Amino acid sequence: MADLLSFVSAAFFLVFGVHRLVITRRPWSDSAQRYVYGFALCLGSGMLFNTPALTKALSSDTTFDNLVNLGIHDVKMVGFAFLVLVAYALKSPAAAAPRAVRLQMWAAGAVLAVSTALYLVADPAIAGDTLTVSSGHRWALASYNALFALYGSWCLAVLARELADHAARTAPGLLRTGLRLMLLAAAVGAVWTLWALDDVIADLRTGSQGVAEDVVSSVLGAVTAALATGGATTTLWVGALGAPMRWLRAYRSHRALEPLWSALHSELPEIALDPSAADRRPGLRQAEFALYRRVIEIRDGHLALRPYFESGVTAWTDGRGGDDGSEVTGGGDAIDWADERGRDRRAVLEAATIAAALENKRAGRLCEGTAAERFAPPGHTPPTVPGTVEAEAAWLLEVTAAFTSSPTVAAVRHRTRTTAAAHTAGVRAPEARNG
């Protein structure tokens, strides 16, 4: 398990590093790209040689000595240093300040020098995949591992701060998604790096530690690698998965609009543009077109119901208590906006208008008032929605949610049904007398 995860993590970083290396050869590449591939190649190489299987193979050939172990460790630390340079480049996209870059390189060199000195002082012995030190040198090996964990975590924290700042200032879209994935990778990477403190405890207690990555470290490394490469290549994989994701979103929206569409279709079957397909669920590839058709059919149904619009709906749902959620009344039915759980009041009003119109349609009761009022009830102005299928679907999804579960809509539906029933009874009574 640890072998597989370690190889996968190393492969993620190495492939990503080579890809970034190719990118940096283009004229428009910036300094951040160069630092990113430096980090990926360093960390991927270190992880590859630190896999349990490769560690055992090298050890069996007696070539995996202290210098090789130290070299792998130092390559990882150089990779962490590149992260700080990435953060500097993000802070100043044109080019990282030369002085800041030089200071970071000197700091990284100092950390490497101290780390190397501590390792040489510890003078560990390697037997198989276990590294041991004498009791008098445990502190040196523990300090060596602690320095690695703390320095790596600091580098990741510097990068995370810049990523968070950029994500907060970036508009919604692929770039912000990528930044957030990389920020999450930095957080998981910090946990992964701090896991080296487990070796510090083992060094102080027993004077020994494993040379290769353990299972926990391998899992954290794999998650970090997947998040980092995924975040940095968002535009590539989103482009490849764009069509299936659009089909899936359209399919789910088509399904979610079913309650509102069915209610309209039951009273107005003529709204179905293709009666043969009205009761069929579309395949995934046909979902976008089916959603487009469903939006048109719902809008057609809305238009056909206008003569039955109830002019009192706006007054019934008017929250006299304001936006504080207080109980209000609208002609006898108590409506508490706190029960709406943050729903858009415009969507609730639209759903209530449709629900009332359907009740009037069933009872054959036209809206009282002038012809103009039948097509535009007083106080009801449908909101303007951008003319795209996505925007229309998003708005109708809110209306559908209110239509099916809003207590306000349920109260309006009940009141309209009662009023329509009384109207029908009043119409039939004279007819009965005349008969």
Side-chain angles (χ1 to χ4, degrees):
M1 181 66 175
D3 275 328
L4 177 61
L5 290 173
S6 295
F7 274 119
V8 168
S9 304
F12 264 120
F13 279 119
L14 289 172
V15 171
F16 173 63
V18 172
H19 176 261
R20 292 292 102 175
L21 178 60
V22 173
I23 293 294
T24 58
R25 299 175 67 88
R26 299 173 183 175
W28 47 263
S29 64
D30 55 24
S31 56
Q33 298 288 346
R34 293 192 292 273
Y35 299 143
V36 165
Y37 90 70
F39 158 75
L41 292 179
C42 286
L43 203 63
S45 300
M47 293 176 67
L48 180 63
F49 283 97
N50 217 185
T51 56
L54 194 54
T55 297
K56 291 178 181 179
L58 293 173
S59 180
S60 63
D61 292 338
T62 69
T63 57
F64 194 92
D65 55 12
N66 280 331
L67 291 179
V68 175
N69 189 43
L70 178 61
I72 294 173
H73 188 272
D74 287 349
V75 166
K76 290 182 180 180
M77 295 191 76
V78 172
F80 287 134
F82 275 117
L83 290 180
V84 180
L85 297 181
V86 173
Y88 289 161
L90 289 175
K91 193 170 185 177
S92 178
R99 184 172 181 272
V101 172
R102 285 197 299 270
L103 286 175
Q104 172 56 25
M105 293 176 64
W106 279 106
V111 170
L112 283 174
V114 173
S115 177
T116 301
L118 288 171
Y119 190 87
L120 294 177
V121 169
D123 191 24
I126 298 177
D129 59 354
T130 302
L131 186 148
T132 60
V133 292
S134 62
S135 57
H137 292 162
R138 290 181 181 180
W139 66 270
L141 187 59
S143 300
Y144 164 81
N145 285 311
L147 182 61
F148 173 83
L150 297 176
Y151 178 71
S153 299
W154 175 78
C155 293
L156 286 163
V158 172
L159 177 63
R161 182 180 61 188
E162 292 301 325
L163 289 173
D165 182 60
H166 269 62
R169 292 187 284 107
T170 302
L174 295 181
L175 179 57
R176 189 166 74 173
T177 300
L179 289 171
R180 287 180 172 177
L181 285 174
M182 293 180 71
L183 180 60
L184 185 58
V188 177
V191 177
W192 175 35
T193 305
L194 289 173
W195 185 251
L197 295 177
D198 179 62
D199 289 334
V200 174
I201 298 174
D203 295 336
L204 294 175
R205 285 181 176 177
T206 64
S208 65
Q209 67 177 65
V211 175
E213 300 275 3
D214 58 22
V215 175
V216 175
S217 182
S218 298
V219 170
L220 291 172
V223 174
T224 302
L227 289 172
T229 54
T233 58
T234 304
T235 54
L236 298 179
W237 57 262
V238 169
L241 298 177
M245 291 175 68
R246 287 198 316 273
W247 297 338
L248 181 59
R249 285 196 300 269
Y251 182 82
R252 293 177 63 185
S253 296
H254 186 274
R255 290 284 304 275
L257 291 175
E258 180 76 22
L260 179 59
W261 179 87
S262 294
L264 292 169
H265 184 258
S266 64
E267 293 297 320
L268 302 162
E270 64 272 16
I271 65 173
L273 298 176
D274 181 5
S276 65
D279 298 326
R280 293 205 310 265
R281 289 179 180 172
L284 202 59
R285 287 178 175 270
Q286 293 77 38
E288 288 183 292
F289 178 74
L291 176 62
Y292 175 65
R293 184 175 58 202
R294 177 145 292 185
V295 167
I296 293 176
E297 291 171 348
I298 290 175
R299 285 304 189 188
D300 287 346
H302 184 276
L303 290 173
L305 284 176
R306 281 191 170 189
Y308 301 95
F309 277 5
E310 180 63 60
S311 60
V313 169
T314 302
W316 298 348
T317 60
D318 182 25
R320 297 177 187 174
D323 294 330
D324 57 1
S326 59
E327 185 176 85
V328 297
T329 59
D333 287 328
I335 295 173
D336 190 350
W337 280 102
D339 292 338
E340 294 302 335
R341 300 180 181 178
R343 286 192 182 95
D344 188 333
R345 290 195 178 194
R346 298 173 303 166
V348 174
L349 176 57
E350 188 80 0
T353 300
I354 295 173
L358 286 170
E359 294 298 329
N360 285 333
K361 173 72 168 57
R362 292 188 186 99
R365 174 176 173 257
L366 292 172
C367 172
E368 298 178 0
T370 66
E373 288 176 342
R374 292 182 182 179
F375 288 91
H380 175 61
T381 304
T384 302
V385 179
T388 64
V389 177
E390 291 78 9
E392 289 275 1
W395 166 249
L396 290 177
L397 285 171
E398 291 191 55
V399 175
T400 302
F403 183 82
T404 56
S405 59
S406 165
T408 301
V409 175
V412 168
R413 185 183 286 113
H414 174 72
R415 176 168 180 158
T416 308
R417 186 179 298 138
T418 302
T419 303
H423 170 78
T424 302
V427 170
R428 289 176 178 174
E431 292 178 351
R433 289 195 297 270
N434 293 333

